[in-house]
Amino acid sequence: MNKIIKSSLKGLSITFGHLFSSHRKRKVLPASDDNYFKQLGGTNTIQYPHQQLPIPEVGRYQLDVEMDDCIVCDLCAKVCPVSCIDIESIKATEAIGQTSDGTTKRLYAAKFEIDMAKCMYCGLCTIVCPTECIVMTNEYDRSVVDIKDLTYQFSDMTPEMAAQKRLEFEQQQAERQAAKLAAMQKKEGGA
């Protein structure tokens, strides 16, 4: 019985010691400071968002896509184990530009969405991207009220623009097919 009371009093003394010392003001240090975790007195609570813990360089947080570098190859969507990446591509009638590493872009991104509510932050999509346009950022706090707000849209193509690009590609394909048919008929007629 004596050990129980002794142990309880020791625990309560530690608790009350922290309670009374937490009201003392202490110097506010950034969490990245070497002495931050060595402070014994005062509160140990991080005053978020004014103070933040240091973010590791290899941390996996929010995904971001640099659409100017995206060639819409669809590899990130194919490798995603939870299918949180949704891509719809439209073939261009000619080369539409180049990425920062010199790769020629031949597809339009009619739709490029990432549902971060489904994402398991594995980083596989960043590994397979040939142009390295999809990356994990250091931003980890994206609190939203509605879960639908966690679906990020990276393509800026409107449905009208997408329909126009599809129509242009279909017309080009029809013209090529007609030219090929005319060439075959001319070849058969000349033989």
Side-chain angles (χ1 to χ4, degrees):
M1 184 74 156
N2 190 19
K3 289 182 180 181
I4 296 172
I5 294 172
K6 196 174 184 180
S7 177
S8 295
L9 288 175
K10 177 69 173 168
L12 285 172
S13 69
I14 292 171
T15 302
F16 283 120
H18 281 289
L19 175 69
F20 294 121
S21 69
S22 68
H23 295 293
R24 281 185 274 142
K25 292 283 186 183
R26 74 172 185 182
K27 184 178 174 187
V28 177
L29 297 173
S32 58
D33 190 285
D34 291 335
N35 294 323
Y36 183 80
F37 292 104
K38 294 177 183 170
Q39 298 179 68
L40 298 176
T43 180
N44 292 322
T45 303
I46 294 175
Q47 301 298 318
Y48 186 81
H50 306 295
Q51 288 181 314
Q52 294 180 2
L53 287 174
I55 298 172
E57 290 180 23
V58 293
R60 297 182 191 152
Y61 301 107
Q62 296 292 319
L63 288 171
D64 189 35
V65 179
E66 182 59 48
M67 287 307 294
D68 292 338
D69 285 343
C70 183
I71 57 173
V72 198
C73 63
D74 202 26
L75 288 176
C76 54
K78 290 176 183 171
V79 77
C80 183
V82 292
S83 301
C84 70
I85 301 174
D86 189 14
I87 298 175
E88 182 183 327
S89 62
I90 302 171
K91 289 186 179 179
T93 54
E94 72 276 339
I96 56 174
Q98 289 191 335
T99 63
S100 61
D101 67 353
T103 307
T104 303
K105 294 174 68 169
R106 299 187 186 280
L107 296 171
Y108 291 105
K111 180 180 181 182
F112 196 119
E113 295 180 351
I114 299 177
D115 188 354
M116 291 306 292
K118 287 183 184 178
C119 183
M120 58 187 249
Y121 303 94
C122 63
L124 291 174
C125 55
T126 62
I127 295 169
V128 299
C129 184
T131 59
E132 298 177 356
C133 68
I134 187 167
V135 295
M136 290 207 152
T137 65
N138 287 340
E139 188 175 342
Y140 60 87
D141 185 17
R142 290 231 180 139
S143 302
V144 294
V145 175
D146 190 3
I147 198 165
K148 293 175 188 169
D149 294 337
L150 287 173
T151 300
Y152 304 126
Q153 299 176 353
F154 294 99
S155 177
D156 58 355
M157 187 175 275
T158 64
E160 295 81 22
M161 288 172 61
Q164 177 66 29
K165 298 298 181 187
R166 281 189 195 96
L167 183 63
E168 288 174 8
F169 180 72
E170 289 170 3
Q171 287 174 346
Q172 183 192 42
Q173 291 302 100
E175 289 171 5
R176 284 183 179 175
Q177 191 67 22
K180 193 184 278 187
L181 187 61
M184 285 177 56
Q185 288 175 349
K186 184 177 180 183
K187 192 176 188 180
E188 289 176 0

